[in-house]
Amino acid sequence: MDADVTDSAGPPSDPDHPAGDKPQGRSQEESGPEGVTPGDGAAEDGSPQGDARREGTSAAEDAQEPPESGESGAAPDPAPDPDPDPAPAKAGSEGSPGVQTWADRPKDGIVAARKSHWLRWTALAASFLVLVAAGAGWWLYKKLDGNITTDTSAAAELKAYEKERPTPVVMDAQNILLIGSDSRAGDNSEYGRDDGGSQRSDTTILLHLAADRKSATAVSLPRDLMVEIPSCRTEDDKETREQFTQFNTAFELGGTACTIRTVERMTGIRIDHHMVVDFNGFKDMVDAVDGVEICLKEPIDDKDAHLELPAGRQTLNGEEALGYVRARKTLGNGSDTERMERQQQFLGALVNKMQSNGVLLNPTRLYPVLDAATKSLTTDPGLDSLRDLYDLVRGMRNVPTEQVQFLTVPRQPYRNNANRDELVEPDAGDLFKQLREDRPVAVVPADELKEAQQDQEGKQDGKPDDTGSESPTPTPTYSGSSAADDLCKQ
């Protein structure tokens, strides 16, 4: 028994290897615990062969000597070399220490990792797109905002005459003077002779927006209307004399400020804002909405207006639309009255096109319209930003098309010159009072208005003098049209 016990300090005959220091490579030849031969594949505790030789094994086990050949009867076979690339044990298998490879990871863990990776990239891409969109939106905003020209000189001129201007009656209502420039300078020279770049108000419209934004009334002011023009300041800082002459002379002499003061003196209505649009701005706006549909009873061939159109239903592009609203000599009786009616009808069709096609509610479609409008737009400081114009458009986009009305101020041929116009009173004064006090007006086609007036006269003639109580004051009705009218059904 004593011979089988090995001293833990190592045999004394081996001075090169002190206790606890075993020779290199010996661990694979030594026997394991009692009862287990070196050839066995695993110890009783299930650990792999040679696992007992890892760091932390007791010095006594490391120092055990194999049994002598005489006792065992035969020398033991040396332990086989371990597999140089053993297959890793599967997780959870019998005899496995629980070590796991990438391939053996749970599938839900892989899916979770992939999902987390995908979410990170999605968030990164979304953030990038938001930054790009914000940058593009800011660039577009600044571009449109920079297109607008501010008329500071008119604002200064009006401020100098503030004491003589009308006082607003209804604060939330808006009165905007729209002026179509008739300048032949620059890009507009193809539409007529350039007389030194002077401007004339070819078209002037007083646009009244009701305080509740449920109606809009556009009143055309004839350019040949005889009016009182106050003393105005010219571009070369000279004072003009007060005079009674045709309306568009005000714009030619004193520009926008003089025109505004003339309108305010004539109507008693305070002008809150103004816009001046030239020919190219009008053309580009029509092109931006893909044209406007009209119907012609007869073909048009007008060399001065560069216009040649067949009869019937058709869609006009910007160039054709401009010729259509400016033509006079070859259409109808050649009067400015009929031209204003065509302008009103076409503007109504343009408004209807923008509302029915969702242009005002679709930023993608609205941008070309705003770009076209702002490029050729000159406004007062109160409307010279995109935000101001957007607020104005937003207030108008919910107005029903039948409540967007167009009419011409009541007028008749001037008694001293049939080629000029003068106001018809008291009709014109009644219209101005309705707008000034933000009260409703109604418009109907000229033939319907004439029939209604004849019927009214007939009722009054047959009515006894001692009739009962008076009827409520009816809404004043004028000859005109609305944006809801179909030009092809008239």
Side-chain angles (χ1 to χ4, degrees):
M1 292 289 293
D2 296 338
D4 293 335
V5 178
T6 305
D7 193 311
S8 62
S13 59
D14 191 3
D16 295 333
H17 299 280
D21 190 7
K22 62 187 176 186
Q24 182 178 1
R26 185 169 177 170
S27 61
Q28 295 183 359
E29 298 176 356
E30 293 174 343
S31 64
E34 185 178 356
V36 181
T37 61
D40 291 339
E44 289 180 349
D45 61 356
S47 63
Q49 178 180 344
D51 187 63
R53 300 298 184 269
R54 67 182 179 270
E55 183 179 357
T57 306
S58 67
E61 291 175 339
D62 289 344
Q64 286 182 354
E65 297 290 335
E68 297 180 2
S69 59
E71 295 181 3
S72 61
D77 294 332
D81 291 337
D83 190 346
D85 188 16
K90 293 183 179 180
S93 62
E94 186 178 355
S96 167
V99 177
Q100 205 172 52
T101 65
W102 177 264
D104 294 322
R105 293 180 66 191
K107 299 300 182 183
D108 56 349
I110 297 175
V111 172
R114 290 177 177 174
K115 184 177 181 180
S116 176
H117 182 73
W118 180 84
L119 288 175
R120 285 197 301 270
W121 276 104
T122 301
L124 182 62
S127 301
F128 176 75
L129 291 176
V130 168
L131 290 175
V132 171
W138 177 249
W139 181 85
L140 292 175
Y141 177 88
K142 297 299 290 183
K143 181 179 183 296
L144 292 176
D145 206 50
N147 285 345
I148 305 171
T149 301
T150 306
D151 187 359
T152 55
S153 61
E157 182 78 3
L158 291 174
K159 186 176 181 180
Y161 292 94
E162 179 62 35
K163 291 183 179 180
E164 70 177 39
R165 301 185 65 192
T167 301
V169 177
V170 181
M171 300 303 296
D172 292 332
Q174 291 282 308
N175 295 294
I176 304 172
L177 196 64
L178 308 176
I179 302 173
S181 171
D182 196 26
S183 172
R184 299 306 201 276
D187 294 337
N188 296 331
S189 59
E190 62 180 290
Y191 301 103
R193 179 179 56 84
D194 181 8
D195 49 2
S198 64
Q199 296 189 93
R200 289 165 293 180
S201 53
D202 188 58
T203 300
T204 303
I205 296 175
L206 174 59
L207 175 64
H208 174 78
L209 302 179
D212 59 8
R213 297 300 188 268
K214 293 183 178 179
S215 65
T217 304
V219 181
S220 294
L221 303 175
R223 66 177 188 174
D224 295 332
L225 184 67
M226 300 299 293
V227 296
E228 287 282 351
I229 297 179
S231 175
C232 298
R233 190 178 302 275
T234 63
E235 289 186 357
D236 53 1
D237 204 26
K238 294 181 179 180
E239 289 283 340
T240 65
R241 61 180 178 85
E242 185 172 328
Q243 53 191 302
F244 182 76
T245 184
Q246 65 186 62
F247 173 68
N248 67 342
T249 304
F251 193 74
E252 184 177 0
L253 292 176
T256 304
C258 191
T259 302
I260 291 174
R261 292 176 58 213
T262 301
V263 172
E264 289 182 341
R265 173 176 288 195
M266 175 175 58
T267 64
I269 297 173
R270 171 80 174 215
I271 302 300
D272 300 297
H273 302 289
H274 71 269
M275 298 181 183
V276 181
V277 183
D278 70 14
F279 292 160
N280 286 295
F282 177 81
K283 289 194 304 182
D284 293 341
M285 287 184 64
V286 174
D287 286 333
V289 296
D290 299 325
V292 175
E293 186 179 72
I294 65 167
C295 277
L296 298 176
K297 296 179 180 179
E298 298 178 354
I300 298 176
D301 186 6
D302 191 318
K303 297 295 189 296
D304 293 337
H306 308 285
L307 187 65
E308 185 176 353
L309 297 171
R313 182 188 295 267
Q314 54 202 293
T315 300
L316 304 186
N317 60 29
E319 189 73 32
E320 294 168 337
L322 180 59
Y324 177 73
V325 298
R326 295 196 70 251
R328 181 176 66 172
K329 297 178 181 179
T330 60
L331 297 182
N333 59 12
S335 68
D336 197 46
T337 298
E338 286 198 357
R339 181 169 70 166
M340 284 187 296
E341 292 176 353
R342 284 196 306 275
Q343 291 173 351
Q344 295 167 6
Q345 292 171 352
F346 188 88
L347 289 175
L350 176 60
V351 171
N352 193 16
K353 176 74 175 286
M354 294 177 68
Q355 286 197 346
S356 63
N357 286 17
V359 174
L360 298 179
L361 301 177
N362 187 337
T364 303
R365 301 198 64 186
L366 180 60
Y367 174 79
V369 178
L370 290 177
D371 187 41
T374 54
K375 281 180 180 178
S376 303
L377 191 64
T378 300
T379 75
D380 63 278
L383 282 181
D384 66 344
S385 72
L386 190 61
R387 178 180 295 276
D388 296 327
L389 290 177
Y390 175 76
D391 290 341
L392 178 65
V393 172
R394 184 177 60 180
M396 293 184 60
R397 67 186 182 186
N398 293 326
V399 178
T401 53
E402 62 271 12
Q403 292 302 319
V404 180
Q405 304 175 121
F406 298 87
L407 69 151
T408 301
V409 63
R411 86 273 182 236
Q412 63 188 11
Y414 179 44
R415 56 184 175 274
N416 294 329
N417 186 347
N419 294 321
R420 301 289 181 263
D421 292 326
E422 63 181 0
L423 296 176
V424 174
E425 297 295 358
D427 296 352
D430 292 342
L431 171 62
F432 298 147
K433 183 179 179 181
Q434 291 293 114
L435 299 179
R436 187 167 55 246
E437 298 178 355
D438 196 31
R439 295 179 179 177
V441 297
V443 298
V444 295
D447 53 351
E448 293 183 17
L449 179 62
K450 188 175 182 179
E451 292 177 1
Q453 290 174 341
Q454 291 174 349
D455 292 343
Q456 185 67 22
E457 291 175 358
K459 292 179 181 179
Q460 290 178 350
D461 292 341
K463 182 178 180 180
D465 294 336
D466 56 349
T467 338
S469 60
E470 296 181 358
S471 60
T473 302
T475 300
T477 303
Y478 301 91
S479 172
S481 60
S482 77
D485 293 342
D486 187 347
L487 299 182
C488 294
K489 294 181 179 180
Q490 296 182 2

